[in-house]
Amino acid sequence: MVFSCIPFVFFFLPLCLLLYYAVPFSWKNGTLLFFSLLFYAWGEPLYILLMLFSTLLDYTNGRLMERFGTTGPRRAFFLCCSVCINLSILAFFKYAGFAVSSVNGILGTQFAAPQIHLPVGISFYTFQTMSYIIDLYRGRIKAERSYISYLTYVSMFPQLVAGPIVRFSDIQARLHSREITFAAFEQGLLRFMMGLFKKVLIANQAGALWEEIRVLGVGETSVATAWLGALSFTLQLYFDFSAYSDMAIGMGKMLGFDYNENFRYPLAAVSVTDFWRRWHISLSTWFRDYVYIPLGGNRKGIPRHLFNIALVWFLTGLWHGASWNFVLWGVYYGVLLILEKYIWGKALEKAPRPFRHIYTFLIVVFGFVIFAITDAGELRNYIGLLFSCGASGWFDTRFLWYLDNYGPVLLLACVLACPVYPWICQKAATLSRGKSRLLSAFAAIAVLLLFVLSTAYMVSDTYNPFLYFRF
């Protein structure tokens, strides 16, 4: 089940909220847990057992860690036990087939690669459980005494299968005491509606264009069409994932939780470093706090700093998928970040701001071509189309046809990828003095129309993936 489908929007979510608000507070975690497990079981009934095992492991080790005091080898043992088992489970389900295929390719062997179905959301909830046990070991949080509360934290359906990666320290207090207000519900509902609009009306349309361009042969794709395809995938991925985060944050507010922002207009960044401060923030900060800083960060000299950056971005690429294109994508960004840090970063800061935007945007768009195409031969051919004049030349009639059919959606996407909406809200707040009711009514009508339009697309459109479900 995805957030942008009729069963979820019109049946699952309303029923969940109705019962959640109706029961007393002592039952709210249990109610939320029930619907979260039901949500996961909709597509992964067997793998609920895997998630239950992982959460029980960390909960038990956390209680034992707290029982044996603040220091000592036993605490380290419980930490290693949780981390090693969690990573082993993730490695088995996500990377076993990739590892065997890679060995076969390198050594020429013919070992049978295991065909293992990847549990939805395993990368996200594994990182959540690991952050809990590591923070507990560091003394930054107290062990959760209620397994139901801990399982509710891990399995909460708004962020279960595609993030953002929520740390236990961010919501521990709210698991035991939270206030649900009409104002928070209103904010959450608006955020959910905006996410639904971004997903259905922008991400899906940009994705449809990318799918059309990607299947064209080398002889049928001009340079302009290839770049248009790269742009459409970039916009699809951004609006797809940021829409999911918007809907997750919105539902969190409706349930009484405050999740941290996961995107801050990354396509408006002025450097690669700035981009990664804005894109998938929960993942970037996770690697920073649990890998990069423990390795020494930039405090142990340049050679060690270079190694730390290289390792973190190798792992970041690998986290996204069991394929060499993801590793290459991670290395690509690792190299660029090193170059910005030590070679041209200071010169870039002095460059005109439009140049910095264009520089970053082109790097990001090209990078997502590497991210999008898992087949090495197809990736090589597509990159060749981006930088050489093939059989179809620089422009062709197909490119103009795509612009005619998808141009308005792509233009709207490019505008909304910039911080235009906050600016509009700020101007509306300034102009609303004495006219608040009129503006509120106008906003309500606009949201309602967008919801009706989104619903129409959900009913008629069969193309409705969430890209990050596969990670």
Side-chain angles (χ1 to χ4, degrees), residues 210-468:
W210 163 244
E211 292 298 331
E212 285 189 39
I213 293 176
R214 181 177 175 178
V215 298
L216 296 175
V218 174
E220 299 181 72
T221 308
S222 66
V223 174
T225 301
W227 277 103
L228 184 65
L231 172 64
S232 64
F233 178 77
T234 299
L235 294 173
Q236 179 197 12
L237 187 65
Y238 168 63
F239 281 97
D240 186 277
F241 195 18
S242 67
Y244 186 96
S245 295
D246 284 340
M247 288 187 274
I249 291 169
M251 287 186 287
K253 283 186 176 295
M254 288 189 275
L255 296 168
F257 296 93
D258 287 320
Y259 300 151
N260 293 328
E261 293 294 333
N262 208 25
F263 291 88
R264 291 194 180 96
Y265 297 98
L267 298 184
V270 293
S271 68
V272 175
T273 304
D274 185 36
F275 174 79
W276 280 105
R277 293 192 186 111
R278 297 164 173 258
W279 177 278
H280 203 344
I281 300 169
S282 62
L283 179 67
S284 300
T285 54
W286 197 97
F287 274 107
R288 180 197 67 195
D289 295 343
Y290 299 111
V291 181
Y292 177 73
I293 292 177
L295 286 173
N298 60 357
R299 304 185 306 273
K300 296 188 176 182
I302 293 178
R304 181 62 178 271
H305 187 213
L306 297 177
F307 170 79
N308 292 344
I309 292 176
L311 179 59
V312 165
W313 284 97
F314 171 82
L315 294 175
T316 300
L318 192 62
W319 178 89
H320 278 86
S323 177
W324 284 111
N325 71 297
F326 294 114
V327 175
L328 178 61
W329 179 75
V331 171
Y332 168 78
Y333 273 111
V335 171
L336 285 167
L337 288 167
I338 289 171
L339 292 174
E340 280 194 359
K341 178 68 176 177
Y342 289 105
I343 306 297
W344 61 62
K346 292 183 180 180
L348 182 63
E349 290 177 0
K350 297 176 182 178
R353 196 170 183 86
F355 171 83
R356 298 170 67 191
H357 282 300
I358 295 171
Y359 152 85
T360 307
F361 190 73
L362 290 176
I363 283 174
V364 169
V365 170
F366 175 75
F368 279 131
V369 172
I370 302 173
F371 187 93
I373 303 175
T374 57
D375 181 78
E378 183 184 352
L379 176 59
R380 184 172 56 252
N381 290 336
Y382 203 95
I383 291 175
L385 286 171
L386 294 174
F387 296 103
S388 64
C389 185
S392 294
W394 293 98
F395 295 92
D396 58 3
T397 55
R398 192 187 299 272
F399 171 75
L400 297 176
W401 186 87
Y402 286 140
L403 279 185
D404 184 51
N405 284 271
Y406 292 95
V409 172
L410 297 181
L411 179 61
L412 177 63
C414 290
V415 171
L416 293 181
C418 300
V420 174
Y421 179 69
W423 180 83
I424 293 174
C425 291
Q426 183 180 10
K427 290 296 182 182
T430 304
L431 297 173
S432 65
R433 296 169 184 171
K435 305 176 183 177
S436 58
R437 291 186 178 180
L438 179 63
L439 285 173
S440 296
F442 177 78
I445 293 172
V447 171
L448 180 60
L449 290 175
L450 287 175
F451 178 69
V452 171
L453 190 58
S454 299
T455 300
Y457 269 82
M458 285 191 290
V459 171
S460 62
D461 199 350
T462 58
Y463 183 77
N464 190 30
F466 263 118
L467 298 184
Y468 263 74

Side-chain angles (χ1 to χ4, degrees), residues 55-121:
T55 53
L56 186 60
L57 169 75
D58 291 308
Y59 170 77
T60 303
N61 281 332
R63 293 298 303 274
L64 290 172
M65 191 183 294
E66 188 175 62
R67 178 181 178 183
F68 288 107
T70 58
T71 59
R74 289 180 178 179
R75 286 175 61 84
F77 169 77
F78 296 129
L79 171 69
C80 291
C81 178
S82 279
V83 170
C84 290
I85 293 177
N86 278 316
L87 289 179
S88 296
I89 293 173
L90 180 63
F92 174 75
F93 281 96
K94 194 167 185 176
Y95 303 108
F98 171 61
V100 173
S101 298
S102 298
V103 169
N104 287 341
I106 295 170
L107 302 180
T109 53
Q110 295 183 341
F111 298 116
Q115 301 299 315
I116 303 171
H117 178 62
L118 180 66
V120 171

Side-chain angles (χ1 to χ4, degrees), residues 6-240:
I6 295 296
F8 182 86
V9 173
F10 287 95
F11 298 100
F12 181 91
L13 183 59
L15 180 60
C16 172
L17 293 175
L18 182 65
L19 293 179
Y20 181 80
Y21 294 145
V23 299
F25 183 81
S26 59
W27 289 17
K28 288 193 186 301
N29 283 353
T31 303
L32 181 54
L33 175 60
F34 169 77
F35 278 96
S36 296
L37 295 180
L38 179 63
F39 176 83
Y40 197 75
W42 191 277
E44 301 282 4
L46 180 62
Y47 285 138
I48 281 183
L49 299 177
L50 185 65
M51 184 172 63
L52 292 176
F53 171 78
S54 181
T55 53
L56 186 60
L57 169 75
D58 291 308
Y59 170 77
T60 303
N61 281 332
R63 293 298 303 274
L64 290 172
M65 191 183 294
E66 188 175 62
R67 178 181 178 183
F68 288 107
T70 58
T71 59
R74 289 180 178 179
R75 286 175 61 84
F77 169 77
F78 296 129
L79 171 69
C80 291
C81 178
S82 279
V83 170
C84 290
I85 293 177
N86 278 316
L87 289 179
S88 296
I89 293 173
L90 180 63
F92 174 75
F93 281 96
K94 194 167 185 176
Y95 303 108
F98 171 61
V100 173
S101 298
S102 298
V103 169
N104 287 341
I106 295 170
L107 302 180
T109 53
Q110 295 183 341
F111 298 116
Q115 301 299 315
I116 303 171
H117 178 62
L118 180 66
V120 171
I122 188 172
S123 297
F124 289 93
Y125 74 70
T126 298
F127 272 29
Q128 288 195 181
T129 60
M130 286 175 60
S131 71
Y132 166 76
I133 202 71
I134 294 171
D135 284 349
L136 183 58
Y137 177 79
R138 292 173 173 175
R140 295 179 177 175
I141 58 173
K142 298 289 186 181
E144 176 56 52
R145 295 186 175 276
S146 167
Y147 176 65
I148 295 298
S149 295
Y150 180 71
L151 182 58
T152 301
Y153 150 69
V154 175
S155 66
M156 221 177 290
F157 71 86
Q159 46 76 51
L160 171 62
V161 294
I165 301 171
V166 179
R167 301 189 195 185
F168 188 72
S169 57
D170 293 333
I171 66 168
Q172 183 175 19
R174 299 216 169 205
L175 285 169
H176 301 284
S177 177
R178 56 187 179 270
E179 184 179 5
I180 302 170
T181 65
F182 179 77
F185 175 84
E186 185 179 25
Q187 293 172 6
L189 181 61
L190 178 61
R191 188 69 179 268
F192 179 86
M193 294 294 188
M194 293 304 295
L196 185 66
F197 157 70
K198 287 165 62 176
K199 164 62 182 167
V200 175
L201 300 182
I202 298 180
N204 285 1
Q205 309 315 308
L209 175 57
W210 163 244
E211 292 298 331
E212 285 189 39
I213 293 176
R214 181 177 175 178
V215 298
L216 296 175
V218 174
E220 299 181 72
T221 308
S222 66
V223 174
T225 301
W227 277 103
L228 184 65
L231 172 64
S232 64
F233 178 77
T234 299
L235 294 173
Q236 179 197 12
L237 187 65
Y238 168 63
F239 281 97
D240 186 277

